[in-house]
Amino acid sequence: MSMATEEPQKGPRHVAIIMDGNGRWAQAKGRPRLFGHHAGARRVKEIVRACKPLEVKYLTIFAFSTENWKRTQSEVSGLMSLFRQYIRKETRSLKAEGVRVRFIGDRVQLDKSLVKLMNDLEEATAENDLVHLTIAINYGGRDEVARATKRLAKDVAAGKLSADDVDEETLPKYLDTRVLPDPDLVIRTSGEARISNFLLWQSAYAEYEFINTLWPDFSEDEFKKVVGSFGQRKRRFGAVPA
Ligand code: FPP
């Protein structure tokens, strides 16, 4: 009798990550929260590198939410300088390693010098296609849907779009993520089981993995394990299996 041959399930093409736990990681070491964010940034680098061999073509990471402005002024400005520092330091290697970088979120409230670095990095990597890294800064799912709806309404008002033609395919064309596929897998570190306004529309059929590890401890090995375990599950998109 031969073994049943089952098609190996394909791994996730698009992984999205809520990188949580930097603050607790630092506090546990008696260090300031920003120390944790810096350690978190080093993990970002490692996880981006791990994507290609795992055939994760799209990686989207939540770096700063529309709610994060409520943190202390020193943490907010520390994070903003960390983003500037990361972009300055990493542009060359991201470009050389074939990573195409995009940013999602509302840039209007961001410092002009940061927005310039973001635009320049997008432009510098625009020809790359090996791994698509999307960094969410000043991003909120509801805010994104509201901004998308505003643009859509303007197109209707301008006669470019008919209200009767608006359906499920229309809104995604106005979202910040318009060129990206929907995430297959959303990972959140640090033991919190919440989605916190991340990719609300796009994650309708995503698998979720809530991991206890704090983000600065989330290693390439653990990432591999989580990505690998995705293949064990069957996604049915609401349908009954054949
Ligand atoms: C959540 O941990 C983390 C953030 C709000 C910031 C995420 C930023 C990074 C990982 C740094 C670098 C990113 C890039 C793109 C270079 P938390 O502070 O909420 O942790 P806590 O829940 O333990 O307080």
Side-chain angles (χ1 to χ4, degrees):
M1 207 174 83
S2 66
M3 296 269 287
T5 47
E6 221 174 81
E7 271 289 297
Q9 195 97 26
K10 266 194 72 131
R13 187 159 79 112
H14 184 176
V15 176
I17 309 184
I18 303 172
M19 310 179 289
D20 198 9
N22 296 344
R24 275 165 286 164
W25 183 87
Q27 275 157 355
K29 293 182 155 38
R31 304 293 300 265
R33 296 176 57 82
L34 268 173
F35 180 73
H37 296 314
H38 279 264
R42 288 193 290 278
R43 282 299 178 195
V44 167
K45 206 170 156 174
E46 181 181 334
I47 299 303
V48 172
R49 286 230 169 86
C51 285
K52 190 185 166 275
L54 291 170
E55 294 178 21
V56 172
K57 184 100 183 161
Y58 296 87
L59 177 73
T60 301
I61 55 175
F62 207 177
F64 193 89
S65 76
T66 46
E67 289 73 39
N68 285 153
W69 298 106
K70 293 181 202 139
R71 297 190 174 200
T72 63
Q73 205 261 324
S74 80
E75 185 170 352
V76 170
S77 64
L79 276 166
M80 294 299 154
S81 15
L82 173 58
F83 300 147
R84 275 193 288 268
Q85 209 177 307
Y86 173 85
I87 296 172
R88 283 202 188 94
K89 243 175 64 188
E90 298 304 322
T91 295
R92 194 197 301 249
S93 60
L94 288 165
K95 193 175 170 183
E97 288 166 23
V99 180
R100 178 163 187 178
V101 184
R102 296 183 179 89
F103 293 91
I104 55 171
D106 191 357
R107 298 180 199 201
V108 172
Q109 293 156 62
L110 298 175
D111 192 274
K112 297 283 162 292
S113 64
L114 174 59
V115 174
K116 174 156 184 5
L117 286 166
M118 288 159 62
N119 291 337
D120 290 350
L121 179 56
E122 284 183 331
E123 206 178 301
T125 61
E127 304 295 314
N128 286 348
D129 185 42
L130 228 45
V131 171
H132 293 245
L133 170 67
T134 302
I135 306 176
I137 298 184
N138 193 27
Y139 176 87
R142 288 184 173 181
D143 178 67
E144 180 192 33
V145 170
R147 286 185 289 105
T149 307
K150 190 187 282 187
R151 287 196 290 266
L152 191 154
K154 283 184 178 167
D155 278 356
V156 171
K160 291 185 196 157
L161 180 72
S162 150
D164 287 330
D165 291 339
V166 174
D167 60 17
E168 277 192 30
E169 311 294 320
T170 318
L171 189 72
K173 293 186 186 132
Y174 289 85
L175 294 172
D176 296 350
T177 52
R178 60 186 82 81
V179 299
L180 306 175
D182 284 345
D184 303 296
L185 173 65
V186 180
I187 300 171
R188 183 179 189 140
T189 57
S190 95
E192 311 284 353
R194 291 192 292 270
I195 61 168
S196 298
N197 209 5
F198 191 42
L199 303 176
L200 291 183
W201 173 281
Q202 300 88 337
S203 300
Y205 291 102
E207 293 278 348
Y208 283 91
E209 283 284 359
F210 299 102
I211 308 291
N212 285 329
T213 311
L214 304 174
W215 175 253
D217 286 331
F218 189 71
S219 65
E220 183 179 343
D221 277 349
E222 196 163 6
F223 182 57
K224 277 187 195 153
K225 254 185 248 159
V226 181
V227 166
S229 72
F230 175 87
Q232 321 289 316
R233 310 201 234 169
K234 298 231 184 310
R235 295 168 81 205
R236 302 202 298 260
F237 299 96
V240 174

